[in-house]
């Protein structure tokens, strides 16, 4: 039987995928630091250690590249938080699920994903023409949090008079804002997580 030769296409595809990922990683890093208006393809190329024209082999435009990073930032966050929630024991209370989601959100955005940091910091700067995919993913993530708070209300675990929409938006807004002010020099991430858990628990739980 003739021996099958290794596929050159597979090897080339793998190299291409790695380069594409490096471009996306570099874009997320630059976007996190400089913001949408100041991010240039030359900055991305320098971060990725590529020539600028090489980026156009993978992405048609700067906007397409940034759109992909912004979408991935929210998508990865949602998948991470959903994974954390799915791993909790079935008997976990609704309030404890909110606290677990808050911790997962903070740890992921502050210490794991520059994509998520970029998405949080630049969501208000994106032009309308490239917002649709990002906004659709934000809506999916919002539904995760909406269910968490509804379950807590249905189980009688929230304080009387809590407005679900207002409180949910305040909590998510506070979690997102941490990406703007926190650095490892500010305080340990464990402390940020613990303070967030206490604020949420003491503020809305019965």
């Amino acid at each position: 039987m003739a021996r099958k030769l290794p596929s050159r296409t597979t090897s080339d595809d793998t190299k291409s995928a790695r380069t594409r990922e490096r471009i996306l990683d570099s874009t997320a890093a630059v976007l996190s630091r400089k913001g949408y208006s100041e991010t240039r393809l030359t900055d991305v190329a320098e971060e990725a250690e590529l020539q600028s024209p090489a980026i156009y082999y993978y992405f048609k435009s700067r906007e397409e590249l940034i759109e992909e990073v912004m979408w991935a930032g929210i998508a990865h966050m949602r998948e991470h938080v959903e994974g954390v929630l799915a791993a909790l024991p079935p008997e976990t209370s609704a309030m404890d699920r909110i606290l677990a989601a808050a911790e997962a959100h903070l740890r992921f955005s502050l210490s794991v994903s520059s994509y998520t940091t970029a998405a949080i910091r630049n969501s208000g700067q994106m032009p309308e023409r490239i917002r649709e995919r990002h906004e659709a993913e934000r809506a999916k993530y919002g539904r995760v949090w909406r269910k968490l708070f509804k379950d807590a209300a249905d189980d009688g675990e929230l304080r009387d008079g809590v407005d679900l929409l207002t409180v949910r938006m305040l909590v998510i807004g506070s979690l997102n804002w941490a990406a703007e002010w926190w650095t490892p020099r500010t305080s340990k991430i464990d402390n940020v997580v613990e303070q967030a858990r206490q604020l949420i628990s003491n503020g809305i739980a019965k």
Side-chain angles (χ1 to χ4, degrees):
M1 179 183 294
R3 188 170 136 193
K4 186 176 181 180
L5 295 174
S7 171
R8 182 184 178 89
T9 301
T10 300
S11 177
D12 289 346
D13 286 349
T14 300
K15 181 179 178 181
S16 178
R18 286 200 302 266
T19 302
R20 186 178 189 277
E21 184 176 2
R22 191 160 88 245
I23 292 170
L24 288 168
D25 290 347
S26 298
T27 304
V30 173
L31 198 58
S32 294
R33 293 196 308 266
K34 293 194 168 187
Y36 175 82
S37 62
E38 297 299 321
T39 294
R40 302 283 182 265
L41 289 184
T42 51
D43 301 321
V44 173
E46 183 178 353
E47 184 87 13
E49 299 181 346
L50 296 170
Q51 296 296 315
S52 298
I55 295 175
Y56 288 103
Y57 178 80
Y58 300 92
F59 300 94
K60 294 178 182 177
S61 66
R62 169 181 177 271
E63 285 72 21
E64 182 183 276
L65 174 57
I66 290 176
E67 179 192 33
E68 181 72 15
V69 169
M70 295 288 287
W71 170 81
I74 302 301
H76 294 171
M77 169 76 85
R78 176 181 58 79
E79 291 166 0
H80 175 71
V81 171
E82 287 180 333
V84 168
L85 293 172
L88 293 174
E91 65 273 14
T92 303
S93 70
M95 192 64 219
D96 282 341
R97 288 174 64 81
I98 290 175
L99 296 177
E103 177 171 349
H105 181 112
L106 278 173
R107 291 191 184 278
F108 194 78
S109 62
L110 298 184
S111 64
V112 177
S113 177
S114 58
Y115 287 73
T116 298
T117 304
I120 290 171
R121 289 180 173 174
N122 294 281
S123 62
Q125 300 180 35
M126 295 172 65
E128 192 64 33
R129 64 183 179 277
I130 63 172
R131 292 179 66 91
E132 184 175 351
R133 191 178 177 212
H134 174 72
E135 291 300 323
E137 191 59 44
R138 282 184 65 187
K140 284 183 183 179
Y141 188 44
R143 287 194 287 273
V144 173
W145 282 92
R146 188 157 57 244
K147 184 177 188 309
L148 288 170
F149 276 85
K150 183 178 184 303
D151 289 348
D154 290 345
D155 291 351
E157 296 186 30
L158 301 183
R159 291 177 183 269
D160 294 338
V162 165
D163 182 283
L164 293 183
L165 172 61
T166 301
V167 168
R168 186 177 79 248
M169 297 308 292
L170 284 171
V171 168
I172 295 174
S174 297
L175 297 176
N176 283 341
W177 186 247
E180 295 288 349
W181 60 262
W182 183 84
T183 70
R185 296 186 302 275
T186 307
S187 64
K188 292 181 178 179
I189 193 168
D190 288 346
N191 182 57
V192 177
V193 168
E194 181 56 29
Q195 294 299 312
R197 289 174 63 95
Q198 289 186 27
L199 280 171
I200 296 170
S201 183
N202 294 337
I204 65 174
K206 275 189 175 178

